[in-house]
Amino acid sequence: MRTRPAGTWQRLLDEQHGIITTKQMHAFGVNKDSINHYVETGQWLRVFRGVVSVTNGPLTREMQLSAVLLYSGRGALLSHTTAAEEWGWVRPGAGPVHVTVPYGCSATSKPPTMRHAKQNFTSKSNEQIHPGVVVHRSRAMGHIGAETNPARTSTVDTVLDLVVAEPTSRQATITLVSAMSSGGVNVAAMTSKVEVRRPMRYLKPILHTLALMRDGVHSALEHRYVLDVEQAHGLPVGQRQAPVFVDGRQLFEDIRYQICDLIVRLDGQAFHSAKQRRFRDRRRDNAAELRNLPRLMYGWHEVTDDPCGVYREAREVLVREGWDDASYPCERCAL
């Protein structure tokens, strides 16, 4: 070990967070027997085949990601849930690391890597060396990456990966709206990506949801209202983000049913400060009252936990105000 060029060796370990491949070590003159000795005596940890941690302690998040990228080979990108975690949309979880590699790459998915008790006794909480890796493959590797360290898929590609990975088209559309909102991905960028990188699954639901977003659906709550209240029960299509002028200032109603001027407000816009929200709602309330307009307000829990109850209330007001009822109960209404 003392004969290796310390400066180059140290820089490599710093860049890779203490993770190194056996191929890299061979280039520094470390032979197979020496590597096996350090691993078997518990001084180093074998994370994956050909990938070693030059420490025997728990791996940090940076070390886990570095190990996966080194294992997966040149051009690999953190993707799916892991990329979303790295972009800051969701908190890092305890599950496996997701990575996308080119077709032809030999890397395969691996279960969690565990310590061998006969080599290194430790507490149960420290038995797992690495949470494992899920390997995805892509033919568009040259177009989906972002210039980040560590390497990962772009925001828009990460959204598309998460959407296509969902088990149902309904969950795919919910994830699409939520991830686009969290990742700051606009409709134009997502539409362009879908045209260039045409998904093999859920194409029609994706395009339909993007059309809804172009028409004014701005949040996950608004999208759930469209899916579970309007479309599931045959309610009329409301106007999204309907403008209203109050004191010379333009404000917007979340949904306005022009048939009878019913206003539905969805209180899920957490990005507004409490003061801003109170002022906005007060002015809109006053304007609606002066025009003698009916209005309903719902939050996340009402729309997601009891969409049928929301439907019944909206239907009652719509019918009362003159709508010729054409709605119907959904499958959940009978439960």
Side-chain angles (χ1 to χ4, degrees), residues 4-268:
R4 290 192 294 275
T8 305
W9 173 263
Q10 188 62 57
R11 282 194 298 272
L12 183 63
L13 291 179
D14 290 342
E15 291 172 0
Q16 298 177 178
H17 302 285
I19 307 295
I20 194 166
T21 66
T22 54
K23 185 177 180 180
Q24 289 172 328
M25 284 192 281
H26 292 159
F28 279 103
V30 185
N31 60 39
K32 181 179 179 180
D33 290 339
S34 295
I35 296 172
N36 289 337
H37 169 75
Y38 280 101
V39 171
E40 290 171 2
T41 57
Q43 298 177 65
W44 291 353
L45 295 174
R46 194 181 304 280
V47 186
F48 300 114
R49 183 177 181 179
V51 180
V52 172
S53 168
V54 292
T55 179
N56 61 3
L59 270 60
T60 64
R61 169 79 173 177
E62 290 80 7
M63 296 170 76
Q64 292 177 358
L65 300 183
S66 180
V68 167
L69 291 173
L70 288 171
Y71 162 74
S72 301
R74 179 174 296 180
L77 300 168
L78 301 176
S79 63
H80 296 75
T81 305
T82 305
E85 292 170 350
E86 288 298 291
W87 284 119
W89 307 346
V90 294
R91 294 182 179 179
V97 175
H98 288 256
V99 65
T100 294
V101 301
Y103 273 88
C105 175
S106 62
T108 58
S109 299
K110 295 292 183 182
T113 304
M114 310 300 291
R115 295 177 188 265
H116 296 288
K118 66 179 182 179
Q119 294 178 353
N120 198 13
F121 292 97
T122 185
S123 65
K124 287 186 176 181
S125 62
N126 197 29
E127 284 183 337
Q128 180 176 283
I129 294 174
H130 194 281
V133 56
V134 176
V135 175
H136 308 267
R137 303 186 188 280
S138 174
R139 300 186 188 279
M141 295 300 294
H143 309 285
I144 64 176
E147 293 183 4
T148 57
N149 185 18
R152 58 180 179 264
T153 50
S154 70
T155 53
V156 66
D157 286 287
T158 300
V159 171
L160 190 56
D161 285 339
L162 293 174
V163 170
V164 175
E166 292 292 357
T168 66
S169 61
R170 170 185 163 78
Q171 188 56 50
T173 60
I174 291 172
T175 296
L176 176 62
V177 177
S178 177
M180 285 178 64
S181 177
S182 299
V185 176
N186 61 47
V187 177
M190 195 71 234
T191 302
S192 297
K193 177 57 65 173
V194 170
E195 292 174 353
V196 173
R197 186 186 165 200
R198 213 162 181 81
M200 299 295 291
R201 304 173 70 197
Y202 309 138
L203 177 59
K204 287 185 178 180
I206 289 172
L207 294 176
H208 174 67
T209 301
L210 290 174
L212 287 176
M213 297 179 76
R214 277 192 295 271
D215 289 339
V217 172
H218 287 172
S219 69
L221 178 57
E222 292 175 28
H223 182 240
R224 292 294 293 272
Y225 182 90
V226 171
L227 287 183
D228 298 339
V229 179
E230 277 191 0
Q231 294 183 354
H233 297 95
L235 289 180
V237 177
Q239 180 186 4
R240 316 295 168 192
Q241 304 302 314
V244 56
F245 291 89
V246 183
D247 300 333
R249 178 177 179 178
Q250 187 178 41
L251 302 176
F252 297 90
E253 298 289 6
D254 297 320
I255 302 169
R256 179 183 176 187
Y257 292 101
Q258 294 176 301
I259 295 173
C260 59
D261 278 332
L262 168 63
I263 292 169
V264 174
R265 293 175 186 160
L266 301 174
D267 188 15

